[in-house]
């Protein structure tokens, strides 16, 4: 049995994934990085993208995250996402809808807060569309 | 002595009330379970967030370019109190105990010459504070958590707080809510949101573990300041979310025990009035019998 790390994917409302896995690929804001056991301690921001969980030498699960933070130590990897969905729930249709909604929101935003929020949404939706296409 | 008819009406009306209170109790009990589950499910996130912030704060300690959300404005002249209450009443002392705590806090702050502002979340808190501190209330939000508070609502409040802080509307921000302790007891809790402080009331064992972990340095990507600037406003939302969830659970707990009491009281009342009703009914029958008998004897 190969070495594993304790991986946790957490959303504000609940714990989405927890378990021991071999490798996690995280879409860091400075580029994707893979986390194996014994990784150096890192705290990084996460951009909207896909988290890949590998176990027993094969791809086990994929999750879409809308951004957040990753904390990595030698033994564990914790990702605080804002929103996370299993990749099977991401379809081009859903993404497109979201994109359109976000776009109207940006156009209708009155305050700075609203605009910032809407633009964020738009970025997330854009990333989602990219992923849904592949 | 009340007439038979009025007693009968009284019994019926108390029975109706009892039906309502016991139904409310059942509803509160099932809502409580859901609220508790939600609060528990949200706990890991807040804990991890705190751990991460702990290491970040440690890395930034003593540096001058720390974000102001962390280090504060260097001033504590003006305080913002975020008062979280329920939208609805009939939950015992739930709302009033928060308001009482807030009132004391405001007086204490004002006595030491601080400037106080209030942000109310929930209808009841505003209603109770408006008379006394109406001009201090600068913001109000209600209608949160019909079906349990949602993170998006909390993060909205968080963003609002951030932008108010950036516009220098206040120096220190404290959130007040009822921490869910058990169904019977909820604790009014003041938690400072800005500037950020790590929770102090942790137990020793946990602290030791944390200390050890914190010592091992982290690499930061992109770098500490950028992450902190991103994570601190987010943390506000998370803390508000936690407060709202605790509050929601507390509210249902308080309502449940209040309605349980009310149902019991109604039961007692029904027993008492029924006894009185039966007594006066019997007295009436006896009186009528005596009248008949003495009438017959007189013949």
């Amino acid at each position: 049995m190969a070495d594993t790390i304790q991986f946790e994917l957490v959303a504000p409302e609940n714990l989405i994934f927890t378990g021991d896995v071999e490798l996690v690929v995280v879409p860091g804001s400075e580029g994707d990085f893979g986390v194996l056991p014994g990784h150096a301690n890192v705290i990084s921001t996460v951009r909207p993208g896909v988290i890949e969980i590998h176990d027993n030498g094969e791809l086990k699960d994929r999750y879409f995250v809308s951004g957040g933070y990753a904390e990595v130590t030698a033994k564990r990897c914790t990702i605080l996402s804002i929103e996370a969905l299993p990749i099977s729930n991401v379809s081009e249709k859903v993404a497109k809808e979201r994109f359109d909604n976000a776009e109207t929101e940006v156009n209708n935003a009155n305050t700075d807060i609203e605009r910032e929020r809407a633009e964020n949404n738009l970025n997330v939706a854009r990333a989602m569309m990219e992923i849904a296409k592949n | 002595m009340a007439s038979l008819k009025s007693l009968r009406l009284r019994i019926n009306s108390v029975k109706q009330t009892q039906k309502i209170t016991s139904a409310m109790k059942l509803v509160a009990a099932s809502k409580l379970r859901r609220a508790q589950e939600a609060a528990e499910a949200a706990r890991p996130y807040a804990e991890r967030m705190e751990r991460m912030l702990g290491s970040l704060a440690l890395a930034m300690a003593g540096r001058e370019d720390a974000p102001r959300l962390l280090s504060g404005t260097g001033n504590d002249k003006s305080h913002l109190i975020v008062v979280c209450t329920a939208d609805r009443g009939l939950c015992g002392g739930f709302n009033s105990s928060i308001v009482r705590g807030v009132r004391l806090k405001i007086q204490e702050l004002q006595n030491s010459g601080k400037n106080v502002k209030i942000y109310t979340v929930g209808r009841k808190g505003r209603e109770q504070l408006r008379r006394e501190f109406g001009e201090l209330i600068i913001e109000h939000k209600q209608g949160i958590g019909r079906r349990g508070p949602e993170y998006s609502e909390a993060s909205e409040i968080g963003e609002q707080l951030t932008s108010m802080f950036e516009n220098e509307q206040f120096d220190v921000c404290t959130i007040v809510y009822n921490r869910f302790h058990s169904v019977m007891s909820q604790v009014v809790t003041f938690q400072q949101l800005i500037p950020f402080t790590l929770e102090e009331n942790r137990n020793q064992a946990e602290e030791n573990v944390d200390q050890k972990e914190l010592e091992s340095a982290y690499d930061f990507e992109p770098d500490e300041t950028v992450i902190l600037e991103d994570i601190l406003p987010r943390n506000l939302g998370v803390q508000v979310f936690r407060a709202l969830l605790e509050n929601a659970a507390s509210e249902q707990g308080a309502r449940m025990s209040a309605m349980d009491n009310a149902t019991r009281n109604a039961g007692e009342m029904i027993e008492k009035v029924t006894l009185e009703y039966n007594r006066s009914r019997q007295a009436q029958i006896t009186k009528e019998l005596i009248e008949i008998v003495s009438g017959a004897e007189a013949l």
Side-chain angles (χ1 to χ4, degrees):
Chain A
M1 167 113 190
D3 273 353
T4 56
I5 50 163
Q6 191 197 346
F7 174 66
E8 280 170 337
L9 177 58
V10 203
E13 265 118 1
N14 53 10
L15 198 65
I16 290 172
F17 182 98
T18 173
D20 294 332
V21 298
E22 253 169 33
L23 164 71
V24 186
V25 180
V26 183
S29 50
E30 311 269 273
D32 292 8
F33 58 89
V35 180
L36 285 163
H39 196 283
N41 295 349
V42 169
I43 290 182
S44 168
T45 46
V46 174
R47 67 182 156 78
V50 174
I51 292 176
E52 289 180 0
I53 302 166
H54 295 258
D55 201 16
N56 292 329
E58 55 186 41
L59 185 64
K60 194 175 151 207
D61 247 330
R62 298 170 77 203
Y63 287 94
F64 174 80
V65 290
S66 64
Y69 315 94
E71 184 200 27
V72 181
T73 67
K75 284 191 211 105
R76 55 160 207 260
C77 170
T78 310
I79 292 183
L80 298 181
S81 64
I82 294 137
E83 190 189 353
L85 308 164
I87 205 80
S88 54
N89 289 3
V90 178
S91 70
E92 215 161 333
K93 197 171 143 245
V94 175
K96 178 85 178 108
E97 234 166 66
R98 206 169 150 154
F99 186 79
D100 291 343
N101 284 342
E103 222 165 26
T104 40
E105 261 176 51
V106 171
N107 294 334
N108 294 339
N110 295 321
T111 62
D112 283 352
I113 299 179
E114 272 175 38
R115 189 162 310 117
E116 204 174 303
R117 175 176 271 264
E119 271 164 11
N120 246 335
N121 261 340
L122 197 66
N123 282 337
V124 172
R126 200 171 286 137
M128 214 170 181
M129 288 218 308
E130 286 288 311
I131 288 151
K133 260 182 220 151
N134 302 325
Chain B
M1 188 145 206
S3 76
L4 282 181
K5 172 144 182 163
S6 77
L7 282 176
R8 214 158 39 224
L9 287 177
R10 181 99 184 275
I11 290 170
N12 271 332
S13 94
V14 178
K15 269 188 185 158
Q16 294 306 320
T17 313
Q18 191 187 29
K19 269 185 200 156
I20 295 171
T21 57
S22 77
M24 278 183 81
K25 181 189 147 196
L26 293 177
V27 171
S30 82
K31 279 192 178 162
L32 170 67
R33 198 156 32 89
R34 233 176 306 147
Q36 253 178 309
E37 273 164 19
E40 243 151 63
R43 207 160 286 157
Y45 194 83
E47 278 167 8
R48 308 293 189 291
M49 182 76 106
E50 209 159 274
R51 194 172 67 198
M52 222 182 265
L53 272 170
S55 15
L56 279 162
L58 203 78
M60 289 304 280
R63 283 176 49 177
E64 274 175 14
D65 56 344
R68 289 170 70 197
L69 281 171
L70 181 70
S71 61
T73 53
N75 225 328
D76 65 342
K77 200 86 201 77
S78 144
H79 285 245
L80 178 76
I81 302 181
V82 183
V83 184
C84 301
T85 51
D87 276 346
R88 300 195 300 153
L90 287 179
C91 41
F94 175 80
N95 292 314
S96 347
S97 60
I98 295 181
V99 169
R100 197 178 324 122
V102 170
R103 204 173 280 142
L104 286 176
K105 178 92 176 171
I106 292 174
Q107 271 153 10
E108 186 194 313
L109 286 171
Q110 281 180 336
N111 286 344
S112 51
K114 306 268 195 287
N115 192 355
V116 183
K117 288 169 181 166
I118 308 174
Y119 184 152
T120 51
V121 180
R123 198 163 59 90
K124 287 286 166 188
R126 186 172 116 105
E127 279 172 6
Q128 294 190 22
L129 285 169
R130 196 163 45 182
R131 199 149 22 105
E132 214 171 327
F133 304 109
E135 73 284 3
L136 300 181
I137 299 177
I138 51 170
E139 268 290 342
H140 173 67
K141 217 174 198 92
Q142 69 181 50
I144 279 178
R146 285 259 141 126
R147 263 167 272 109
E150 277 173 30
Y151 177 67
S152 56
E153 294 168 324
S155 75
E156 219 169 282
I157 296 175
E159 277 163 37
Q160 216 174 349
L161 289 177
T162 313
S163 79
M164 276 157 79
F165 180 71
E166 275 161 5
N167 295 333
E168 303 190 335
Q169 292 196 38
F170 60 86
D171 301 313
V172 180
C173 174
T174 315
I175 191 166
V176 194
Y177 62 95
N178 261 326
R179 190 189 291 271
F180 185 80
H181 192 255
S182 74
V183 177
M184 298 301 290
S185 85
Q186 296 87 29
V187 189
V188 179
T189 309
F190 288 81
Q191 188 190 343
Q192 185 173 320
L193 291 179
I194 304 173
F196 171 74
T197 47
L198 275 174
E199 245 183 273
E200 284 154 22
N201 50 357
R202 278 197 234 170
N203 56 43
Q204 203 62 39
E206 209 178 335
E207 214 164 86
N208 284 341
V209 174
D210 275 8
Q211 214 53 47
K212 219 182 282 168
E213 270 180 24
L214 289 177
E215 272 164 20
S216 54
Y218 282 90
D219 283 339
F220 297 99
E221 223 177 289
D223 64 51
E224 302 93 302
T225 333
V226 177
I227 300 183
L228 261 180
E229 260 159 25
D230 195 49
I231 209 172
L232 281 170
R234 183 92 61 214
N235 180 53
L236 273 185
V238 173
Q239 297 303 335
V240 172
F241 185 50
R242 180 156 80 170
L244 290 178
L245 283 171
E246 289 274 343
N247 226 16
S250 301
E251 179 194 345
Q252 298 306 339
R255 177 166 296 129
M256 195 177 123
S257 58
M259 286 304 122
D260 189 43
N261 277 337
T263 309
R264 222 185 353 253
N265 285 345
E268 273 169 30
M269 175 99 90
I270 290 173
E271 254 170 51
K272 230 169 65 194
V273 182
T274 311
L275 191 68
E276 198 181 326
Y277 172 73
N278 286 341
R279 275 217 188 110
S280 45
R281 192 172 56 90
Q282 279 173 335
Q284 179 118 32
I285 294 171
T286 317
K287 202 177 91 197
E288 276 171 18
L289 273 177
I290 291 172
E291 271 165 15
I292 294 171
V293 171
S294 51
E297 257 169 24
L299 283 178

